[in-house]
């Protein structure tokens, strides 16, 4: 049989040497995996609300979303742990019916020695110099001036006598994570309150009213985002996120195949987080649980997404564990114990720990999926890496098959298929898929090639369709090494 060309016409009689280029065997391209950070913008920002925009620098983020905005700070936090990946940001505006969180800093006494106050507001250190004989009102005025001079702080302040009132720049529950503490680094960080001065942090008033996400989600269109940093963890917001990533109507649906995985975070005690996680059930969403960190929870979400994205982009099957995070760790007394972290992992909540160097370390990333449609316990999608690996494999297989069989005629199995022909059989497709699987087994993405080869099916389903059954066995992650130490005494 003659070699079959796709473009060169056999009717050509003009003398010459002609070349038709066929790239179907040369395509080794991989998709550029993008991150989407969602968050609130300020009125001072120049961005168009509910419209995703590519952001390449913190200066640009500050201009687009406003200095001190949730979204600009999330972008800055993200870049601490992932300085390479392509990042898009989707800004939303505050809920007009919401309120902003507030708190107070009250100063008492008169300084009897010089020193420096180290206030941490939303994880940012604000240093205030104190001179001998500075009275409470004078120190409060200095604190107020220092807060308002920090243009990237997610809060502003006002002062009355010796009390400074701090107000979040945004309205909302999540944006109102206005943690304020004194001398967080303690003696080890040479942080002390000047003699004669007393600082009292108020109980604070939480913000209310989360923003609408309807238009932001709708405007994402068909742009793929593999990693979504999502600051809000309320059940209403997570329900809308579940719809966005749904297997039936969302980005994981068969007719959409945009995929993507969302990373968020929530603060609370082990018991409150366990109860919260038990009510969730979504394989496309992971929630990192943490307690008493000075870092705003929306920045924790951004950092969690960054740490995971950096690893998953390099290898989607590599375990998301022992990864250093860029957030401020909780004080020792607020850190979860081993049994508490184990409980959280059985409640759909991812965990972090703190190493001896005082760094927050991502310990394990799990999805919130815990039960199947029948309500039975199901660990099919327990680990984040399972779906990120499948996402990579599905996309890669689509690229391979879409390249090699983009313009082929389909004939029945048993038909001889000579090299260079323009037609294939289901067995031809099957052979290509088996070779593809072997290739990924060689790089540790999948396993059990013999089982795949034996049980994979390729059927002519009629109307030019080949149906494939792919018994993919994804790589596991080494999580635990347990040892039984049997010793003797002689």
């Amino acid at each position: 049989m003659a070699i079959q060309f796709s473009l060169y016409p056999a009717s050509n009689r003009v003398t010459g040497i002609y070349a038709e280029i066929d790239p179907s065997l040369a395509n080794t391209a991989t998709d550029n995996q993008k991150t989407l950070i969602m968050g609130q913008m300020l009125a001072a920002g120049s961005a168009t609300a509910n419209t995703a925009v590519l952001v390449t620098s913190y200066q640009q983020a500050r201009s687009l979303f406003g200095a001190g905005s949730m979204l600009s700070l999330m972008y800055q936090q993200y870049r601490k742990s992932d300085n390479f990946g392509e990042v898009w940001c989707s800004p939303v505006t505050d809920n007009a019916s919401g309120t902003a969180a507030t708190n107070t800093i009250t100063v008492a006494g008169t300084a009897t020695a010089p020193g420096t106050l180290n206030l941490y507001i939303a994880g940012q250190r604000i240093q205030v110099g104190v001179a001998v004989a500075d009275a409470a009102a004078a120190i409060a005025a200095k604190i107020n001036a220092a807060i308002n001079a920090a243009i990237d702080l997610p809060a502003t302040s006002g002062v009355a006598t010796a009390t400074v009132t701090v107000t979040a720049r945004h309205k909302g529950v999540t944006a109102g994570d206005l943690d304020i503490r004194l001398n967080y680094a303690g003696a080890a960080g040479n942080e002390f309150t000047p003699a004669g001065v007393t600082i009292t942090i108020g109980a604070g008033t939480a913000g209310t009213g989360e923003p609408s996400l309807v238009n932001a989600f709708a405007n994402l269109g068909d742009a793929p985002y593999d990693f979504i940093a999502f600051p809000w963890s309320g059940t209403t917001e997570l329900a809308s996120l579940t719809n966005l990533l749904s297997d039936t109507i969302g980005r994981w649906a068969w007719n959409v195949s945009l995929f993507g995985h969302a990373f968020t975070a929530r603060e609370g005690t082990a018991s409150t987080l366990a109860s919260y996680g038990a009510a969730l059930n979504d394989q496309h969403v992971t929630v990192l649980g943490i307690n008493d960190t000075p870092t705003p929870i929306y920045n924790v979400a951004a950092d969690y997404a960054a740490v995971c994205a950096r690893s998953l982009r390099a290898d989607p099957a590599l375990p998301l564990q022992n990864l250093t995070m860029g957030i401020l760790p909780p004080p020792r007394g607020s850190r979860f114990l081993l049994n508490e972290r184990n409980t959280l992992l059985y409640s759909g909540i991812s965990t972090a720990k703190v190493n001896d160097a005082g760094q927050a370390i991502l310990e394990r990333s799990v999805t919130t999926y815990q039960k199947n449609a029948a309500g039975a316990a199901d660990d099919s999608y327990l680990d984040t890496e399972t779906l990120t690996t499948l996402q990579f494999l599905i996309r890669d297989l689509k690229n391979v098959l879409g390249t090699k069989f983009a313009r082929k005629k389909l004939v029945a199995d048993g038909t001889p298929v000579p090299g260079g022909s323009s037609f294939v059989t289901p067995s031809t497709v099957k052979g290509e898929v088996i070779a593809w699987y072997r290739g990924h087994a060689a790089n540790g993405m999948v396993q059990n090639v013999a089982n795949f080869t034996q049980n994979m099916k390729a059927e002519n389903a009629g109307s030019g369709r080949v149906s494939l059954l792919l018994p993919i066995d994804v790589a596991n992650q080494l999580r635990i090494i347990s040892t039984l130490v049997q010793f003797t005494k002689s």
Side-chain angles (χ1 to χ4, degrees), residues 163-183:
T163 298
V164 178
T165 299
V166 183
T167 304
R169 293 185 189 269
H170 286 290
K171 299 176 180 179
V173 179
T174 303
D177 187 5
L178 202 56
D179 182 276
I180 303 176
R181 62 187 74 191
L182 181 67
N183 300 331

Side-chain angles (χ1 to χ4, degrees), residues 302-452:
D303 196 78
Y304 178 34
V307 167
C308 292
R310 185 186 64 208
S311 176
L312 295 171
R313 195 184 299 113
D315 186 334
L318 205 61
L320 297 171
Q321 61 198 39
N322 299 321
L323 298 173
T324 303
M325 304 186 70
I327 62 174
L328 295 176
R332 188 173 297 277
S334 300
R335 299 169 190 173
F336 296 136
L337 302 176
L338 177 64
N339 66 301
E340 292 175 319
R341 303 200 305 274
N342 191 56
T343 296
L344 292 177
L345 290 170
Y346 271 92
S347 303
I349 301 297
S350 302
T351 58
K353 58 185 179 180
V354 181
N355 64 13
D356 292 339
Q359 298 169 307
I361 304 295
L362 180 61
E363 182 177 45
R364 186 167 183 177
S365 181
V366 298
T367 76
T368 64
Y369 181 86
Q370 299 159 79
K371 296 182 179 180
N372 60 24
D378 187 350
D379 63 358
S380 301
Y381 298 119
L382 171 64
D383 295 305
T384 304
E385 299 90 342
T386 299
L387 276 170
T388 57
T389 301
L390 288 172
Q391 171 183 285
F392 171 84
L393 293 171
I394 293 169
R395 276 190 178 153
D396 189 62
L397 183 59
K398 288 177 67 175
N399 286 341
V400 170
L401 298 182
T403 299
K404 295 191 176 182
F405 303 119
R407 298 189 67 212
K408 296 292 184 181
K409 293 173 286 187
L410 179 64
V411 296
D413 274 335
T415 305
V417 182
S421 68
S422 61
F423 58 91
V424 297
T425 67
S427 292
T428 308
V429 178
K430 179 178 180 179
E432 189 62 46
V433 174
I434 291 174
W436 166 85
Y437 193 85
R438 289 183 184 277
H440 283 302
N443 63 27
M445 204 76 70
V446 296
Q447 56 190 330
N448 292 330
V449 174
N451 178 73
F452 183 87

Side-chain angles (χ1 to χ4, degrees), residues 97-144:
S97 301
T99 59
T102 61
N103 206 341
T104 57
I105 304 169
T106 302
V107 186
T110 299
T112 58
T116 301
L117 286 172
N118 290 276
L119 286 163
Y120 287 77
I121 302 177
Q124 296 185 39
R125 186 171 69 167
I126 305 295
Q127 293 189 301
V128 179
V130 175
V132 175
D134 273 356
I139 296 172
K142 289 182 178 182
I143 293 173
N144 182 64

Side-chain angles (χ1 to χ4, degrees), residues 141-231:
K142 289 182 178 182
I143 293 173
N144 182 64
I147 291 173
N148 288 312
I151 63 172
D152 287 324
L153 199 68
T156 58
S157 66
V159 62
T161 313
T163 298
V164 178
T165 299
V166 183
T167 304
R169 293 185 189 269
H170 286 290
K171 299 176 180 179
V173 179
T174 303
D177 187 5
L178 202 56
D179 182 276
I180 303 176
R181 62 187 74 191
L182 181 67
N183 300 331
Y184 164 77
N190 295 316
E191 294 182 355
F192 306 95
T193 302
V197 178
T198 300
I199 303 293
T200 303
I201 310 298
T205 301
T208 63
E210 300 291 50
S212 170
L213 304 176
V214 175
N215 292 332
F217 281 159
N219 289 343
L220 293 179
D222 60 358
Y225 300 103
D226 285 2
F227 316 111
I228 301 174
F230 194 76

Side-chain angles (χ1 to χ4, degrees), residues 12-329:
N12 177 40
R13 291 183 174 178
V14 180
T15 302
I17 298 175
Y18 303 93
E20 176 183 316
I21 297 176
D22 176 11
S24 62
L25 301 179
N27 185 9
T28 59
T30 57
D31 291 301
N32 183 27
Q33 296 183 285
K34 297 185 290 187
T35 292
L36 177 71
I37 304 176
M38 301 192 71
Q40 290 165 240
M41 66 175 289
L42 295 170
S46 61
T48 301
N50 304 313
T51 301
V53 58
L54 175 65
V55 182
T56 58
S57 69
Y58 179 56
Q59 290 73 21
Q60 182 189 11
R62 179 191 284 165
S63 175
L64 286 169
F65 315 123
S69 66
M70 173 200 278
L71 191 48
S72 68
L73 294 175
M74 287 180 69
Y75 179 86
Q76 183 184 36
Q77 183 72 48
Y78 183 93
R79 284 306 191 194
K80 290 180 180 179
S81 294
D82 179 14
N83 62 0
F84 177 77
E86 182 176 320
V87 176
W88 290 66
C89 292
S90 177
V92 298
T93 55
D94 290 0
N95 184 335
S97 301
T99 59
T102 61
N103 206 341
T104 57
I105 304 169
T106 302
V107 186
T110 299
T112 58
T116 301
L117 286 172
N118 290 276
L119 286 163
Y120 287 77
I121 302 177
Q124 296 185 39
R125 186 171 69 167
I126 305 295
Q127 293 189 301
V128 179
V130 175
V132 175
D134 273 356
I139 296 172
K142 289 182 178 182
I143 293 173
N144 182 64
I147 291 173
N148 288 312
I151 63 172
D152 287 324
L153 199 68
T156 58
S157 66
V159 62
T161 313
T163 298
V164 178
T165 299
V166 183
T167 304
R169 293 185 189 269
H170 286 290
K171 299 176 180 179
V173 179
T174 303
D177 187 5
L178 202 56
D179 182 276
I180 303 176
R181 62 187 74 191
L182 181 67
N183 300 331
Y184 164 77
N190 295 316
E191 294 182 355
F192 306 95
T193 302
V197 178
T198 300
I199 303 293
T200 303
I201 310 298
T205 301
T208 63
E210 300 291 50
S212 170
L213 304 176
V214 175
N215 292 332
F217 281 159
N219 289 343
L220 293 179
D222 60 358
Y225 300 103
D226 285 2
F227 316 111
I228 301 174
F230 194 76
W232 311 280
S233 61
T235 54
T236 299
E237 289 69 41
L238 290 191
S240 64
L241 188 61
T242 292
N243 287 334
L244 177 73
L245 298 172
S246 167
D247 288 346
T248 55
I249 61 173
R251 292 185 153 233
W252 277 82
W254 67 269
N255 58 330
V256 179
S257 296
L258 291 172
F259 308 116
H261 196 87
F263 301 85
T264 189
R266 191 169 180 92
E267 191 166 14
T269 63
S271 59
T272 58
L273 285 172
S275 298
Y276 164 82
L280 304 177
N281 199 54
D282 187 346
Q283 66 268 34
H284 304 304
V285 176
T286 63
V287 180
L288 178 66
I290 198 164
N291 184 43
D292 198 24
T293 173
T295 302
I297 200 63
Y298 49 85
N299 273 1
V300 175
D303 196 78
Y304 178 34
V307 167
C308 292
R310 185 186 64 208
S311 176
L312 295 171
R313 195 184 299 113
D315 186 334
L318 205 61
L320 297 171
Q321 61 198 39
N322 299 321
L323 298 173
T324 303
M325 304 186 70
I327 62 174
L328 295 176

